[in-house]
């Protein structure tokens, strides 16, 4: 069954703690993306990666880090430097052909304790 | 990054009504356009791509006006299940640029 998976569905973070959100895809897509969505707001791009071992900052990269060691995986770490991390985090992938659409995982809700 | 603007709504319409959403984009060089649907607390899902000649999928019709730089989505015979937020999306030399969405509530 092809698709994008994200885990966990809900994540709780304590003050000063780093947490990592998982994103895996078996669609053989080259490009992967991380977005943040706040209540009643649009999607804001955090980081994206076009190929393995390469990634670029999006519009709101501060306080976040990523890695792309495998084509299938693009984990996002929310560091303690991100002072307002409570949000809905969405991972997406696309074939990286110009004009191609993106497909989203089910998302992770991050809450600060 | 370039902007995509949508009326946030909400649009509250009765079942069976026809409703239209517009979206404007700022980058005249944008090449492809999409409408996504997002249900409450769920991920966005592709509703339809928007082709230069316009396209129709059942009750949904999407149109592109390059001269005025806007995209429209028309929903005919609205169903309760159409209640969602509709995101206008523009391919701005990737990554995609998302509008903030227009909320639709279809009322019985």
């Amino acid at each position: 069954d092809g698709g994008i998976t994200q885990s966990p569905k809900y994540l709780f973070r304590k003050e000063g703690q780093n947490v990592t959100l998982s994103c895996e895809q078996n669609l053989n897509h080259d490009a992967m993306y991380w977005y943040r969505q706040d209540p009643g707001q649009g999607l804001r791009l955090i980081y994206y990666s076009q190929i393995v071992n390469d990634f670029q900052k999006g519009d709101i990269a501060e306080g976040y880090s990523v890695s792309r060691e495998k084509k299938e995986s693009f984990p996002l770490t929310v560091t303690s430097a991100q002072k307002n991390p409570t949000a809905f985090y969405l991972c997406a992938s696309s074939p990286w052909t110009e004009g191609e659409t993106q497909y989203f995982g089910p998302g992770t809700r991050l809450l600060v304790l | 990054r370039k902007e995509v603007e949508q009326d946030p709504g909400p649009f509250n319409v009765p079942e069976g009504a026809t409703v239209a959403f517009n979206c404007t984009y700022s980058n005249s060089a944008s090449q492809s356009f999409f409408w996504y649907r997002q249900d409450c607390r769920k991920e966005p899902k592709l509703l339809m791509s928007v082709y230069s000649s316009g396209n129709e999928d059942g009750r949904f019709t999407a149109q592109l006006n390059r001269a005025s730089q806007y995209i429209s989505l028309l929903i005919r015979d609205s169903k309760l299940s159409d209640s969602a937020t509709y995101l206008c999306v523009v391919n701005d030399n990737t990554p995609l640029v998302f509008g903030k969405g227009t909320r639709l509530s279809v009322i019985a």
Side-chain angles (χ1 to χ4, degrees):
Chain A
D1 204 32
I4 304 173
T5 57
Q6 290 186 242
S7 62
K9 189 172 181 179
Y10 296 95
L11 185 58
F12 299 92
R13 192 190 94 164
K14 296 178 183 177
E15 292 288 338
Q17 187 181 38
N18 292 355
V19 292
T20 297
L21 284 60
S22 167
C23 177
E24 305 276 333
Q25 54 98 0
N26 61 5
L27 300 168
N28 199 33
H29 285 171
D30 288 318
M32 296 186 74
Y33 312 81
W34 274 106
Y35 293 90
R36 169 181 172 142
Q37 188 174 38
D38 293 282
Q41 299 297 313
L43 299 172
R44 291 187 289 169
L45 182 66
I46 304 172
Y47 269 98
Y48 66 101
S49 167
Q50 302 176 32
I51 55 172
V52 174
N53 292 322
D54 187 48
F55 47 83
Q56 285 77 41
K57 293 182 179 180
D59 301 315
I60 55 164
E62 186 174 348
Y64 301 97
S65 65
V66 293
S67 63
R68 187 86 186 277
E69 297 176 3
K70 298 187 299 182
K71 186 175 184 178
E72 303 80 16
S73 178
F74 191 40
L76 173 74
T77 296
V78 184
T79 74
S80 56
Q82 173 49 247
K83 297 306 178 189
N84 186 22
T86 297
F88 187 38
Y89 289 87
L90 288 157
C91 178
S93 71
S94 70
W96 199 251
T97 301
E98 187 173 323
E100 289 287 344
T101 190
Q102 292 178 10
Y103 300 89
F104 285 85
T108 293
R109 291 198 180 275
L110 176 61
L111 299 166
V112 176
L113 295 177
Chain B
R1 283 176 5 113
K2 306 298 183 182
E3 297 293 323
V4 174
E5 299 289 338
Q6 294 183 251
D7 182 341
F11 284 60
N12 299 314
V13 302
E15 271 187 292
T18 296
V19 61
F21 308 135
N22 284 335
C23 161
T24 59
Y25 60 95
S26 60
N27 184 1
S28 60
S30 298
Q31 291 300 312
S32 51
F33 310 87
F34 310 92
W35 283 100
Y36 278 70
R37 170 194 169 125
Q38 185 174 23
D39 292 291
C40 188
R41 302 176 74 81
K42 298 286 189 181
E43 74 274 24
K45 293 185 178 177
L46 179 66
L47 179 65
M48 57 198 308
S49 302
V50 185
Y51 304 122
S52 56
S53 58
N55 49 302
E56 188 173 310
D57 182 4
R59 298 182 293 107
F60 298 84
T61 300
Q63 294 207 312
L64 168 64
N65 184 319
R66 284 192 186 273
S68 301
Q69 293 182 211
Y70 79 80
I71 309 144
S72 64
L73 177 68
L74 182 78
I75 304 175
R76 289 181 297 277
D77 188 23
S78 298
K79 311 291 184 191
L80 293 175
S81 58
D82 293 334
S83 297
T85 297
Y86 291 85
L87 307 177
C88 174
V89 185
V90 174
N91 186 341
D92 186 18
N93 197 27
T94 56
L96 299 180
V97 181
F98 287 80
K100 293 185 178 180
T102 297
R103 210 166 113 222
L104 171 65
S105 290
V106 181
I107 305 160

